[in-house]
Amino acid sequence: MVCSLAVGPAATAWAVHAPAAGPSGSECFVEAKAGDAAKATVTGGGFSKARGKVFLKRTDGEGGAVVIVADDGTFSSGDVPAGVYVASQHGGPSVKCVGGQEAQEIVNQKLILSEQTRGTHEGWAQGKKLAESGACDAEAEPPVPNLHGLAPDPEGQKKAEAAYENAYSAAFDKAIDFYCHR
């Protein structure tokens, strides 16, 4: 079984820095190499730099790899045989590496939640600022969300933009109400 992540390296780079997916806070993704279905790249995040190495074990055949954990807890395997992998460290739990549609859904959902949180913070801050300056009749005007180079699929992109705008407007209105009508 070949796993792939059709959203490209920008999403994979983001995904390894995203909030925890597994019970240990570690996560792992498999992305097929473009133009070579026999190769893949395994990336992950949330691993311990102190433990140094991540062991990648292929669960659907022979093979694997040992990779070094970066200072930020991420790793990238380079080319490995395409397949299904589990990532682990000595003394730590094993994490299933996901790919394909499952990975795409994780990328989309994490982006939606991230944009919702960002919209809430930015909307509250802007509403508070305007209310404190006396602009109590101000209307929420969410800026176009900056998705920070993340690569959700088109549906995930639309949902992330809507989540940002809705959260921004709701937080903005709450801040205006709180600071103008206390």
Side-chain angles (χ1 to χ4, degrees), residues 127-138 172-182:
K128 177 182 177 188
K129 179 180 173 184
L130 290 173
E132 289 178 337
S133 72
C136 290
D137 59 347
F172 180 92
D173 292 344
K174 292 280 185 195
I176 291 287
D177 186 51
F178 180 81
Y179 288 100
C180 289
H181 304 106
R182 358 180 191 174

PDB file of all heavy atoms in Angstrom, residues 127-138 172-182:
ATOM      1  N   GLY A 127     -11.273  44.743  18.195  1.00  0.00           N
ATOM      2  CA  GLY A 127     -12.481  45.277  18.820  1.00  0.00           C
ATOM      3  C   GLY A 127     -12.165  46.044  20.092  1.00  0.00           C
ATOM      4  O   GLY A 127     -12.696  47.132  20.336  1.00  0.00           O
ATOM      5  N   LYS A 128     -11.281  45.499  20.903  1.00  0.00           N
ATOM      6  CA  LYS A 128     -10.872  46.165  22.152  1.00  0.00           C
ATOM      7  C   LYS A 128     -10.210  47.505  21.846  1.00  0.00           C
ATOM      8  O   LYS A 128     -10.529  48.524  22.461  1.00  0.00           O
ATOM      9  CB  LYS A 128      -9.915  45.272  22.932  1.00  0.00           C
ATOM     10  CG  LYS A 128      -9.395  45.903  24.200  1.00  0.00           C
ATOM     11  CD  LYS A 128      -8.402  44.995  24.916  1.00  0.00           C
ATOM     12  CE  LYS A 128      -7.853  45.719  26.140  1.00  0.00           C
ATOM     13  NZ  LYS A 128      -6.770  44.979  26.756  1.00  0.00           N
ATOM     14  N   LYS A 129      -9.311  47.502  20.885  1.00  0.00           N
ATOM     15  CA  LYS A 129      -8.587  48.722  20.516  1.00  0.00           C
ATOM     16  C   LYS A 129      -9.553  49.817  20.063  1.00  0.00           C
ATOM     17  O   LYS A 129      -9.460  50.967  20.500  1.00  0.00           O
ATOM     18  CB  LYS A 129      -7.581  48.396  19.408  1.00  0.00           C
ATOM     19  CG  LYS A 129      -6.782  49.573  18.910  1.00  0.00           C
ATOM     20  CD  LYS A 129      -5.820  49.118  17.813  1.00  0.00           C
ATOM     21  CE  LYS A 129      -5.122  50.292  17.170  1.00  0.00           C
ATOM     22  NZ  LYS A 129      -4.278  49.859  16.060  1.00  0.00           N
ATOM     23  N   LEU A 130     -10.489  49.449  19.193  1.00  0.00           N
ATOM     24  CA  LEU A 130     -11.449  50.438  18.701  1.00  0.00           C
ATOM     25  C   LEU A 130     -12.393  50.892  19.807  1.00  0.00           C
ATOM     26  O   LEU A 130     -12.710  52.080  19.910  1.00  0.00           O
ATOM     27  CB  LEU A 130     -12.227  49.880  17.515  1.00  0.00           C
ATOM     28  CG  LEU A 130     -11.410  49.716  16.233  1.00  0.00           C
ATOM     29  CD1 LEU A 130     -12.226  48.994  15.163  1.00  0.00           C
ATOM     30  CD2 LEU A 130     -10.941  51.072  15.714  1.00  0.00           C
ATOM     31  N   ALA A 131     -12.853  49.973  20.651  1.00  0.00           N
ATOM     32  CA  ALA A 131     -13.759  50.338  21.748  1.00  0.00           C
ATOM     33  C   ALA A 131     -13.079  51.279  22.724  1.00  0.00           C
ATOM     34  O   ALA A 131     -13.677  52.263  23.172  1.00  0.00           O
ATOM     35  CB  ALA A 131     -14.246  49.081  22.459  1.00  0.00           C
ATOM     36  N   GLU A 132     -11.835  50.989  23.045  1.00  0.00           N
ATOM     37  CA  GLU A 132     -11.104  51.837  23.992  1.00  0.00           C
ATOM     38  C   GLU A 132     -10.815  53.217  23.406  1.00  0.00           C
ATOM     39  O   GLU A 132     -10.612  54.173  24.146  1.00  0.00           O
ATOM     40  CB  GLU A 132      -9.818  51.150  24.449  1.00  0.00           C
ATOM     41  CG  GLU A 132     -10.087  49.970  25.360  1.00  0.00           C
ATOM     42  CD  GLU A 132      -8.841  49.232  25.805  1.00  0.00           C
ATOM     43  OE1 GLU A 132      -7.794  49.312  25.121  1.00  0.00           O
ATOM     44  OE2 GLU A 132      -8.929  48.545  26.833  1.00  0.00           O
ATOM     45  N   SER A 133     -10.827  53.313  22.088  1.00  0.00           N
ATOM     46  CA  SER A 133     -10.618  54.625  21.463  1.00  0.00           C
ATOM     47  C   SER A 133     -11.943  55.362  21.246  1.00  0.00           C
ATOM     48  O   SER A 133     -11.967  56.449  20.684  1.00  0.00           O
ATOM     49  CB  SER A 133      -9.876  54.473  20.137  1.00  0.00           C
ATOM     50  OG  SER A 133     -10.732  53.905  19.160  1.00  0.00           O
ATOM     51  N   GLY A 134     -13.053  54.747  21.689  1.00  0.00           N
ATOM     52  CA  GLY A 134     -14.350  55.389  21.588  1.00  0.00           C
ATOM     53  C   GLY A 134     -15.152  55.044  20.351  1.00  0.00           C
ATOM     54  O   GLY A 134     -16.234  55.576  20.139  1.00  0.00           O
ATOM     55  N   ALA A 135     -14.664  54.178  19.515  1.00  0.00           N
ATOM     56  CA  ALA A 135     -15.357  53.807  18.277  1.00  0.00           C
ATOM     57  C   ALA A 135     -16.329  52.657  18.543  1.00  0.00           C
ATOM     58  O   ALA A 135     -16.178  51.557  18.010  1.00  0.00           O
ATOM     59  CB  ALA A 135     -14.347  53.430  17.204  1.00  0.00           C
ATOM     60  N   CYS A 136     -17.336  52.909  19.382  1.00  0.00           N
ATOM     61  CA  CYS A 136     -18.255  51.845  19.792  1.00  0.00           C
ATOM     62  C   CYS A 136     -19.237  51.430  18.708  1.00  0.00           C
ATOM     63  O   CYS A 136     -19.933  50.429  18.848  1.00  0.00           O
ATOM     64  CB  CYS A 136     -19.005  52.268  21.056  1.00  0.00           C
ATOM     65  SG  CYS A 136     -17.918  52.314  22.503  1.00  0.00           S
ATOM     66  N   ASP A 137     -19.309  52.169  17.616  1.00  0.00           N
ATOM     67  CA  ASP A 137     -20.192  51.795  16.515  1.00  0.00           C
ATOM     68  C   ASP A 137     -19.421  51.116  15.375  1.00  0.00           C
ATOM     69  O   ASP A 137     -19.954  50.904  14.290  1.00  0.00           O
ATOM     70  CB  ASP A 137     -20.947  53.018  15.994  1.00  0.00           C
ATOM     71  CG  ASP A 137     -20.010  54.116  15.491  1.00  0.00           C
ATOM     72  OD1 ASP A 137     -18.792  54.039  15.769  1.00  0.00           O
ATOM     73  OD2 ASP A 137     -20.506  55.045  14.822  1.00  0.00           O
ATOM     74  N   ALA A 138     -18.177  50.758  15.647  1.00  0.00           N
ATOM     75  CA  ALA A 138     -17.341  50.124  14.617  1.00  0.00           C
ATOM     76  C   ALA A 138     -17.923  48.771  14.221  1.00  0.00           C
ATOM     77  O   ALA A 138     -18.536  48.082  15.033  1.00  0.00           O
ATOM     78  CB  ALA A 138     -15.914  49.954  15.119  1.00  0.00           C
ATOM     79  N   PHE A 172     -14.689  40.238  17.710  1.00  0.00           N
ATOM     80  CA  PHE A 172     -14.721  41.685  17.550  1.00  0.00           C
ATOM     81  C   PHE A 172     -15.988  42.251  18.200  1.00  0.00           C
ATOM     82  O   PHE A 172     -15.945  43.187  18.996  1.00  0.00           O
ATOM     83  CB  PHE A 172     -14.669  42.038  16.065  1.00  0.00           C
ATOM     84  CG  PHE A 172     -14.694  43.517  15.788  1.00  0.00           C
ATOM     85  CD1 PHE A 172     -13.510  44.224  15.672  1.00  0.00           C
ATOM     86  CD2 PHE A 172     -15.896  44.207  15.636  1.00  0.00           C
ATOM     87  CE1 PHE A 172     -13.514  45.591  15.411  1.00  0.00           C
ATOM     88  CE2 PHE A 172     -15.920  45.565  15.378  1.00  0.00           C
ATOM     89  CZ  PHE A 172     -14.722  46.263  15.268  1.00  0.00           C
ATOM     90  N   ASP A 173     -17.148  41.659  17.850  1.00  0.00           N
ATOM     91  CA  ASP A 173     -18.420  42.125  18.396  1.00  0.00           C
ATOM     92  C   ASP A 173     -18.464  41.973  19.912  1.00  0.00           C
ATOM     93  O   ASP A 173     -18.968  42.856  20.618  1.00  0.00           O
ATOM     94  CB  ASP A 173     -19.588  41.380  17.742  1.00  0.00           C
ATOM     95  CG  ASP A 173     -19.762  41.727  16.263  1.00  0.00           C
ATOM     96  OD1 ASP A 173     -19.198  42.746  15.798  1.00  0.00           O
ATOM     97  OD2 ASP A 173     -20.451  40.946  15.556  1.00  0.00           O
ATOM     98  N   LYS A 174     -17.942  40.883  20.444  1.00  0.00           N
ATOM     99  CA  LYS A 174     -17.912  40.667  21.901  1.00  0.00           C
ATOM    100  C   LYS A 174     -17.032  41.713  22.578  1.00  0.00           C
ATOM    101  O   LYS A 174     -17.377  42.219  23.643  1.00  0.00           O
ATOM    102  CB  LYS A 174     -17.398  39.268  22.240  1.00  0.00           C
ATOM    103  CG  LYS A 174     -18.311  38.158  21.829  1.00  0.00           C
ATOM    104  CD  LYS A 174     -19.431  37.981  22.802  1.00  0.00           C
ATOM    105  CE  LYS A 174     -20.236  36.762  22.401  1.00  0.00           C
ATOM    106  NZ  LYS A 174     -21.506  36.694  23.044  1.00  0.00           N
ATOM    107  N   ALA A 175     -15.901  42.024  21.980  1.00  0.00           N
ATOM    108  CA  ALA A 175     -14.998  43.017  22.569  1.00  0.00           C
ATOM    109  C   ALA A 175     -15.650  44.395  22.567  1.00  0.00           C
ATOM    110  O   ALA A 175     -15.583  45.113  23.571  1.00  0.00           O
ATOM    111  CB  ALA A 175     -13.670  43.049  21.817  1.00  0.00           C
ATOM    112  N   ILE A 176     -16.281  44.777  21.469  1.00  0.00           N
ATOM    113  CA  ILE A 176     -16.975  46.067  21.397  1.00  0.00           C
ATOM    114  C   ILE A 176     -18.045  46.118  22.490  1.00  0.00           C
ATOM    115  O   ILE A 176     -18.152  47.094  23.240  1.00  0.00           O
ATOM    116  CB  ILE A 176     -17.598  46.295  20.001  1.00  0.00           C
ATOM    117  CG1 ILE A 176     -16.517  46.499  18.944  1.00  0.00           C
ATOM    118  CG2 ILE A 176     -18.609  47.443  20.016  1.00  0.00           C
ATOM    119  CD1 ILE A 176     -15.800  47.836  18.997  1.00  0.00           C
ATOM    120  N   ASP A 177     -18.833  45.054  22.578  1.00  0.00           N
ATOM    121  CA  ASP A 177     -19.895  45.006  23.585  1.00  0.00           C
ATOM    122  C   ASP A 177     -19.309  45.083  24.998  1.00  0.00           C
ATOM    123  O   ASP A 177     -19.791  45.839  25.838  1.00  0.00           O
ATOM    124  CB  ASP A 177     -20.717  43.727  23.413  1.00  0.00           C
ATOM    125  CG  ASP A 177     -21.917  43.691  24.324  1.00  0.00           C
ATOM    126  OD1 ASP A 177     -22.689  44.676  24.334  1.00  0.00           O
ATOM    127  OD2 ASP A 177     -22.092  42.671  25.032  1.00  0.00           O
ATOM    128  N   PHE A 178     -18.271  44.331  25.268  1.00  0.00           N
ATOM    129  CA  PHE A 178     -17.670  44.303  26.593  1.00  0.00           C
ATOM    130  C   PHE A 178     -17.091  45.657  26.996  1.00  0.00           C
ATOM    131  O   PHE A 178     -17.344  46.134  28.090  1.00  0.00           O
ATOM    132  CB  PHE A 178     -16.572  43.227  26.642  1.00  0.00           C
ATOM    133  CG  PHE A 178     -15.886  43.117  27.984  1.00  0.00           C
ATOM    134  CD1 PHE A 178     -16.488  42.406  29.013  1.00  0.00           C
ATOM    135  CD2 PHE A 178     -14.667  43.719  28.205  1.00  0.00           C
ATOM    136  CE1 PHE A 178     -15.862  42.303  30.243  1.00  0.00           C
ATOM    137  CE2 PHE A 178     -14.036  43.620  29.434  1.00  0.00           C
ATOM    138  CZ  PHE A 178     -14.633  42.900  30.467  1.00  0.00           C
ATOM    139  N   TYR A 179     -16.319  46.269  26.119  1.00  0.00           N
ATOM    140  CA  TYR A 179     -15.642  47.512  26.480  1.00  0.00           C
ATOM    141  C   TYR A 179     -16.510  48.759  26.328  1.00  0.00           C
ATOM    142  O   TYR A 179     -16.237  49.779  26.942  1.00  0.00           O
ATOM    143  CB  TYR A 179     -14.337  47.664  25.678  1.00  0.00           C
ATOM    144  CG  TYR A 179     -13.280  46.695  26.147  1.00  0.00           C
ATOM    145  CD1 TYR A 179     -13.035  45.529  25.449  1.00  0.00           C
ATOM    146  CD2 TYR A 179     -12.573  46.929  27.316  1.00  0.00           C
ATOM    147  CE1 TYR A 179     -12.081  44.625  25.896  1.00  0.00           C
ATOM    148  CE2 TYR A 179     -11.623  46.034  27.771  1.00  0.00           C
ATOM    149  CZ  TYR A 179     -11.383  44.887  27.058  1.00  0.00           C
ATOM    150  OH  TYR A 179     -10.448  43.987  27.508  1.00  0.00           O
ATOM    151  N   CYS A 180     -17.567  48.677  25.540  1.00  0.00           N
ATOM    152  CA  CYS A 180     -18.424  49.853  25.340  1.00  0.00           C
ATOM    153  C   CYS A 180     -19.668  49.850  26.227  1.00  0.00           C
ATOM    154  O   CYS A 180     -20.254  50.890  26.453  1.00  0.00           O
ATOM    155  CB  CYS A 180     -18.868  49.939  23.879  1.00  0.00           C
ATOM    156  SG  CYS A 180     -17.521  50.398  22.762  1.00  0.00           S
ATOM    157  N   HIS A 181     -20.066  48.697  26.691  1.00  0.00           N
ATOM    158  CA  HIS A 181     -21.351  48.612  27.404  1.00  0.00           C
ATOM    159  C   HIS A 181     -21.199  47.962  28.777  1.00  0.00           C
ATOM    160  O   HIS A 181     -22.088  47.250  29.218  1.00  0.00           O
ATOM    161  CB  HIS A 181     -22.371  47.822  26.557  1.00  0.00           C
ATOM    162  CG  HIS A 181     -22.554  48.397  25.215  1.00  0.00           C
ATOM    163  ND1 HIS A 181     -22.039  47.814  24.089  1.00  0.00           N
ATOM    164  CD2 HIS A 181     -23.139  49.543  24.787  1.00  0.00           C
ATOM    165  CE1 HIS A 181     -22.325  48.539  23.034  1.00  0.00           C
ATOM    166  NE2 HIS A 181     -22.996  49.611  23.423  1.00  0.00           N
ATOM    167  N   ARG A 182     -20.111  48.228  29.444  1.00  0.00           N
ATOM    168  CA  ARG A 182     -19.959  47.612  30.769  1.00  0.00           C
ATOM    169  C   ARG A 182     -20.643  48.415  31.821  1.00  0.00           C
ATOM    170  O   ARG A 182     -20.880  49.509  31.869  1.00  0.00           O
ATOM    171  CB  ARG A 182     -18.539  47.384  31.233  1.00  0.00           C
ATOM    172  CG  ARG A 182     -17.412  47.717  30.412  1.00  0.00           C
ATOM    173  CD  ARG A 182     -16.143  47.364  31.147  1.00  0.00           C
ATOM    174  NE  ARG A 182     -15.052  47.963  30.402  1.00  0.00           N
ATOM    175  CZ  ARG A 182     -13.826  47.967  30.786  1.00  0.00           C
ATOM    176  NH1 ARG A 182     -13.509  47.417  31.889  1.00  0.00           N
ATOM    177  NH2 ARG A 182     -12.887  48.491  30.079  1.00  0.00           N
TER     178      ARG A 182
END
